[in-house]
Amino acid sequence: MWSSWSPLRRLQRIAVSASRPAAAGNNNYIGGMQRREQSALAHRVYITRKVPPEGLEIVRRCGRVKFELWDSDDPVPRDELLKKVKGVDGLLCMLTEKVDAELLDAAGPNLKVLSTMSVGFDHLCLDELKKRGIRVGYTPDVLTDAVAELTVALLLATSRRLIEAAHEAKTGGWGTWRTLWLCGYELANSTVGILGLGRIGVAIAERLKPFKVKKFLYTDVAPRPQLAEMINAEYVSLEELAKQSDFLAACCALTPETQGICNRKLFSQMKKNAIFINTSRGGIVNQEDLYEALSAGQIAAAGLDVTTPEPLPTDHPLFKLKNCVILPHIASASYTTRNAMSALAANNLLAGLRGSQSLTRHHRAQDWREKGHTQDGTPVCRKAPQTGLEPHTHEGVGPGQTNPLRHHTH
Ligand SMILES: O=CC(=O)O
């Protein structure tokens, strides 16, 4: 949230119409200020998708913004996006929009702020944004709980073969009770490995602990003692993580260094009974290698919330495997979290437009929380060499606080 509103701004807010935005044909909506209030001072903003109500309301109620919105659940076509961004001051986008030189050139020199409604920002060309001095906001923290929950759900669904079992029950495969039929692997006494320890990795471990996990291991660019202490996790090399883990959960950001990091070599080091879970980005996995590992029984099973590409074509070989559970990138998909993400993205946008130094963070629809680990958690496996950023850190991409790229040389 804005740290403060001046009385003048309050008045401006009150003066702004709260009426529904006017339809502008196709999927475009135009909204924000009423005509009489529009002025040369109004910031022009483009929003690339129908956003959850909380975020939209924040933008609509802000007295200084005239926005246009692609009012659809599906992404705005690239051609349309390139047209619509022309001359805007701010852009609120989703993880589906590639923000590259082409898009930024199309937007032109007015563009001051880019706010993505996502914790991941591998869809943003940070170098290009930096070159143009465009401030960047993203939405960490608010989705940590939802993602951790979903990761645990996916882990259990995969290890206890829930999807397969439900299918058998429904389709007549359920004969009688059988001793080893549909047996899976349990968390009790297991070793859980976390690839990329940050807020999300910690939250996953916190949830798994009550299942009587014996040991937590993690790997990352460097040890993260403060985070590790919270879950009593031991820092190991990637190879050791692969060798020792019964469950390996990938929570790292996609960077040039993590691209394809889960490959044949890694899978060949894993135990035959190991379960691999990925709720970060599909790009960290070499899917052909994963397919081989799963079909050859090199590892027991995999649960993926993310793939390359998305959506994964329905005839993809991974869909044919019983020991692979694939979800359509829904880790943050709870009503609370998606609303909180939209609110944070909207506030980041406004903070960036205002040039505010105040940092927007920890905004949650029903819950403002300060957890020790959420501020310095950095779920990333390797530094992105092209930026020196540690993705997912507040400090790295501080919405509204600073140009994240200030940290280029760190
Ligand atoms: O994957 C989801 C996100 O980056 O928010």
Side-chain angles (χ1 to χ4, degrees):
M1 288 286 287
W2 290 93
S3 54
S4 63
W5 283 91
S6 70
L8 175 62
R9 194 169 302 280
R10 255 178 228 290
L11 288 175
Q12 283 168 337
R13 283 178 81 201
I14 291 161
V16 168
S17 161
S19 64
R20 192 102 175 93
N26 296 332
N27 285 313
N28 291 309
Y29 261 99
I30 296 175
M33 308 175 76
Q34 281 187 341
R35 182 162 300 191
R36 69 186 152 80
E37 288 139 359
Q38 289 175 9
S39 75
L41 291 176
H43 293 298
R44 273 189 59 214
V45 162
Y46 190 65
I47 304 176
T48 64
R49 194 79 66 92
K50 190 192 271 184
V51 286
E54 274 196 39
L56 190 57
E57 201 51 24
I58 287 167
V59 179
R60 286 177 58 209
R61 283 175 180 274
C62 162
R64 289 271 182 93
V65 168
K66 183 184 170 208
F67 70 88
E68 202 167 338
L69 161 81
W70 182 251
D71 195 18
S72 166
D73 277 333
D74 295 319
V76 55
R78 182 78 177 177
D79 285 358
E80 179 79 0
L81 178 61
L82 292 175
K83 273 191 252 156
K84 290 292 178 188
V85 293
K86 193 168 165 35
V88 296
D89 302 291
L91 182 60
L92 196 161
C93 74
M94 309 293 134
L95 52 80
T96 40
E97 279 81 55
K98 185 152 187 58
V99 178
D100 54 10
E102 181 191 37
L103 182 70
L104 298 175
D105 286 345
N110 284 355
L111 189 62
K112 292 175 199 58
V113 56
L114 176 104
S115 175
T116 180
M117 194 185 124
S118 62
V119 69
F121 45 82
D122 44 285
H123 55 301
L124 311 180
C125 291
L126 294 176
D127 279 348
E128 293 294 335
L129 286 155
K130 178 188 183 212
K131 220 163 45 186
R132 293 162 170 83
I134 296 166
R135 310 173 91 200
V136 179
Y138 75 143
T139 60
D141 290 345
V142 291
L143 45 57
T144 299
D145 288 337
V147 173
E149 243 177 59
L150 189 283
T151 306
V152 171
L154 182 56
L155 186 151
L156 289 169
T158 307
S159 61
R160 299 302 303 269
R161 303 170 65 176
L162 299 190
I163 310 300
E164 213 185 323
H167 179 78
E168 291 293 332
K170 205 155 61 178
T171 57
W174 185 4
T176 181
W177 187 91
R178 300 174 195 136
T179 54
L180 289 177
W181 188 51
L182 286 171
C183 281
Y185 298 94
E186 62 192 43
L187 277 157
N189 285 315
S190 70
T191 295
V192 172
I194 297 167
L195 173 54
L197 185 68
R199 295 170 288 259
I200 293 172
V202 168
I204 292 168
E206 283 171 344
R207 283 157 178 76
L208 291 180
K209 203 168 183 296
F211 284 88
K212 299 188 178 170
V213 168
K214 187 174 70 195
K215 191 154 63 161
F216 287 105
L217 304 174
Y218 75 102
T219 198
D220 211 309
V221 203
R224 301 196 180 279
Q226 276 178 323
L227 290 176
E229 198 184 66
M230 301 178 72
I231 52 169
N232 199 17
E234 184 189 332
Y235 181 71
V236 293
S237 66
L238 183 59
E239 184 176 343
E240 276 308 308
L241 192 83
K243 283 183 175 164
Q244 293 189 40
S245 299
D246 298 302
F247 298 88
L248 199 163
C251 314
C252 59
L254 174 62
T255 69
E257 289 199 12
T258 59
Q259 177 92 38
I261 198 171
C262 301
N263 54 19
R264 177 170 305 170
K265 183 170 171 211
L266 183 99
F267 297 130
S268 71
Q269 292 162 341
M270 288 172 70
K271 298 179 181 178
K272 290 211 178 332
N273 65 329
I275 309 283
F276 174 74
I277 302 296
N278 185 13
T279 48
S280 61
R281 283 290 183 267
I284 68 160
V285 176
N286 180 319
Q287 286 176 179
E288 277 159 31
D289 293 354
L290 177 62
Y291 177 83
E292 265 178 39
L294 288 169
S295 48
Q298 208 157 44
I299 64 172
L304 313 173
D305 183 48
V306 284
T307 58
T308 310
E310 291 182 4
L312 192 66
T314 51
D315 60 355
H316 193 281
L318 282 172
F319 275 123
K320 304 209 170 14
L321 296 176
K322 282 187 176 174
N323 57 348
C324 188
V325 176
I326 300 175
L327 302 178
H329 201 150
I330 54 162
S332 66
S334 76
Y335 292 111
T336 303
T337 289
R338 287 286 167 85
N339 263 300
M341 288 169 74
S342 76
L344 182 51
N347 280 317
N348 287 342
L349 176 83
L350 301 182
L353 287 172
R354 180 188 242 186
S356 165
Q357 292 302 304
S358 60
L359 176 64
T360 304
R361 64 182 172 197
H362 302 304
H363 178 80
R364 176 153 215 148
Q366 299 160 1
D367 179 15
W368 284 81
R369 301 160 310 158
E370 284 285 336
K371 280 188 189 168
H373 69 269
T374 58
Q375 304 220 24
D376 54 3
T378 51
V380 58
C381 189
R382 298 282 182 269
K383 273 192 181 178
Q386 83 280 25
T387 62
L389 282 182
E390 295 207 340
H392 293 203
T393 57
H394 271 312
E395 294 76 18
V397 181
Q401 175 198 35
T402 177
N403 184 332
L405 307 161
R406 196 184 68 181
H407 297 260
H408 185 64
T409 54
H410 282 201

